[in-house]
Amino acid sequence: MLKLLRTIAEDDAAVKSLFDHVRNLGIAAAVLGAALWKFRNAEPQIFYFEMFIVALLAGLGAFLFFVNQFHGIRKLRSAGYPAWVYHLVLHTYSLVAVTIILALAWRY
């Protein structure tokens, strides 16, 4: 495992790709967070307009999240790491992502 970590850390393109992926995930989360904030702070006088904005933000955030996830999966698959590494990362990442999304949806 340490050899794999060292291999990734020595590859500038892999490190850049990893941090780009995490940054893009943060951007998608910020857009989804804006949708949740707008939903909680909607003005009753313009309720339908506010819900339209919430739907647009939530749709954009979900779109960005899934594009980033599929791009990350494709990059991981094409990186040439052993199959167990691919499956470990894929399932761990998916489990964490689904847990976070469900926790946010359950809370609001």
Side-chain angles (χ1 to χ4, degrees):
M1 187 68 151
L2 287 175
K3 182 181 176 190
L4 178 65
L5 182 61
R6 195 174 307 124
T7 303
I8 293 171
E10 291 172 354
D11 184 0
D12 289 341
V15 172
K16 182 182 180 326
S17 181
L18 177 65
F19 277 87
D20 284 348
H21 183 79
V22 172
R23 184 202 62 225
N24 293 343
L25 195 59
I27 292 169
V31 174
L32 286 169
L36 288 173
W37 177 83
K38 191 63 158 164
F39 180 75
R40 292 192 67 190
N41 297 305
E43 294 289 332
Q45 297 87 354
I46 52 173
F47 179 77
Y48 294 109
F49 179 72
E50 296 275 26
M51 290 304 111
F52 176 71
I53 298 298
V54 167
L56 284 178
L57 286 171
L60 177 61
F63 174 77
L64 292 173
F65 172 78
F66 285 113
V67 166
N68 192 48
Q69 177 142 347
F70 291 134
H71 179 260
I73 289 169
R74 186 187 61 77
K75 294 287 272 189
L76 183 62
R77 187 178 295 142
S78 67
Y81 295 115
W84 69 269
V85 172
Y86 169 75
H87 287 289
L88 178 69
V89 171
L90 177 67
H91 294 303
T92 303
Y93 179 82
S94 297
L95 182 64
V96 169
V98 167
T99 302
I100 290 171
I101 290 170
L102 288 177
L104 287 173
W106 183 264
R107 185 170 181 199
Y108 293 100

